[in-house]
Amino acid sequence: MPTVLVLLADGFEEIEALAPVDLLRRAGIEVTVASLNENRHATGRSGITTHADAALSAVLEQAFDLVFLPGGAGVKNLRADGRVVETIRRQHAAGRWLAAICAAPTVLHDAGLLAGRRYTAHFSVANELSAILAGERIVTDGRITTSRGAGTAVEFGLHLVALLTTADKAAEISKAICF
């Protein structure tokens, strides 16, 4: 069974985090939601507090098939936490999947992983990400997948399901949720 680590920081965009988590879990994928906070809570941009499965400190040494970074205002907290950059660099060095949506591709940029790659992100970070493919909803280049924002969260989640399982599984879930 594939494994996914989702990193939540205060200010995360709820739709971008929880829609893909829901779809991945519907596919039978083992998802660990980890908060940067030791109390395992993270409060999103809309004031919804999520109780994560673990604190990031508890899962730092574990290997995952995919590490997923949701966007929103919490991206500034992801960028400020050295453990996050270390985690994604280790993930990349091992040849495993990385996924980021909205402003979160800036974290991949900070880690030096977007140079020479195709990617997309939210228009609000276009000044930092000069090669952004603003017209693309989802872009996969190598083992890095990026998406634009909350409006692409369901499509992005289904794309991640297809990457980690099969296109048939993603289509089955898409049909079940009337997408």
Side-chain angles (χ1 to χ4, degrees):
M1 174 185 320
T3 58
V4 174
L5 174 64
V6 180
L7 301 181
L8 293 187
D10 286 331
F12 74 95
E13 173 61 60
E14 290 95 340
I15 294 171
E16 295 169 2
L18 300 179
V21 166
D22 178 277
L23 296 166
L24 291 162
R25 286 183 173 171
R26 285 174 192 251
I29 295 168
E30 183 181 322
V31 179
T32 300
V33 178
S35 172
L36 270 55
N37 301 319
E38 287 303 310
N39 67 6
R40 296 173 41 191
H41 293 139
T43 301
R45 70 168 294 281
S46 295
I48 300 169
T49 299
T50 301
H51 182 76
D53 302 312
L56 176 58
S57 60
V59 296
L60 278 173
E61 301 306 317
Q62 293 180 24
F64 294 89
D65 296 305
L66 182 141
V67 172
F68 168 46
L69 307 173
V75 167
K76 72 178 180 298
N77 296 318
L78 293 174
R79 294 176 92 176
D81 192 318
R83 300 172 303 170
V84 174
V85 171
E86 178 185 326
T87 298
I88 63 173
R89 282 185 178 148
R90 189 172 53 244
Q91 183 79 2
H92 178 72
R96 294 188 296 262
W97 286 103
L98 289 163
I101 188 169
C102 190
T106 59
V107 182
L108 303 178
H109 173 74
D110 292 350
L113 302 181
L114 293 183
R117 291 193 181 273
R118 298 179 74 249
Y119 60 87
T120 192
H122 194 268
F123 63 83
S124 65
V125 295
N127 62 329
E128 287 189 67
L129 303 175
S130 59
I132 188 174
L133 298 172
E136 299 292 325
R137 295 175 64 78
I138 298 168
V139 176
T140 297
D141 187 339
R143 291 285 185 148
I144 296 176
T145 297
T146 53
S147 190
R148 284 198 333 221
T152 63
V154 171
E155 183 181 357
F156 186 57
L158 291 168
H159 184 81
L160 296 178
V161 168
L163 288 177
L164 294 172
T165 63
T166 65
D168 287 344
K169 186 64 169 176
E172 172 188 320
I173 292 167
S174 178
K175 182 178 179 184
I177 66 167
C178 300
F179 183 72

